[in-house]
Amino acid sequence: MRGGFRPSFRTPRDARGVSLLEMLLVVMLIAIAGTLAAMVLTGGLEGIRLRSEAREIAAQLRYTRAQAMATGKPQRFVIDPNTRRWQAPNQHRGSVPASLRVAFIGARQAQPAPGVGAILFFHDGGSSGGQIRLSGGRAVWHVDVAWLTGEVQVVRGDGGT
């Protein structure tokens, strides 16, 4: 059989592999794409700062609630949106970065002064309730405190609210 079947596949020595440089280039492009995607999803550095500050305030609100339950006496978390400063029991203090905006919604009876917000926590874990709204750019985070249970939640908000 002179004109018989001839296989048309390549042998391994004919195959060309991927060079180390090509592999590193692909890995670098994937890393850049991942970083850009993360920045878009979290709102960039400002979004990370905003979420971190919301979590810090939520932690201090939970601390205030725990102190009320441990001591059996009402405890107060105070926040001043104008100066962006907050205070919890036992000299726990802090401030919100100037690049972020702060708003407070809560019971007027708990306010220590006009324009200053406060949330009272009672010995049974309940509270006067309220919401602290942090915003920066288009990103918004709410720190919500339920009035009946005193439960503290951090929720990503709608930029249009």
Side-chain angles (χ1 to χ4, degrees), residues 31-104:
I32 290 170
T35 301
L36 289 175
M39 295 290 270
V40 167
L41 292 175
T42 63
L45 293 176
E46 193 66 25
I48 292 170
R49 182 178 297 133
L50 180 62
R51 183 176 48 205
S52 174
E53 193 61 35
R55 288 182 178 170
E56 173 63 23
I57 288 175
Q60 293 301 322
L61 284 161
R62 290 181 186 112
Y63 171 77
T64 304
R65 180 175 184 253
Q67 286 297 303
M69 294 170 70
T71 63
K73 296 178 183 176
Q75 300 290 323
R76 182 186 312 239
F77 177 89
V78 178
I79 188 161
D80 185 346
N82 295 324
T83 64
R84 291 183 302 283
R85 295 187 179 279
W86 55 262
Q87 180 176 351
N90 299 327
Q91 303 301 317
H92 285 223
R93 300 171 193 251
S95 61
V96 177
S99 62
L100 303 179
R101 292 179 302 282
V102 181
F104 176 79

Side-chain angles (χ1 to χ4, degrees), residues 18 107 109 134:
V18 178
Q109 293 83 354
L134 300 172

Side-chain angles (χ1 to χ4, degrees), residues 129-141:
Q131 180 185 79
I132 298 169
R133 182 176 186 256
L134 300 172
S135 58
R138 292 181 291 164
V140 178
W141 285 84

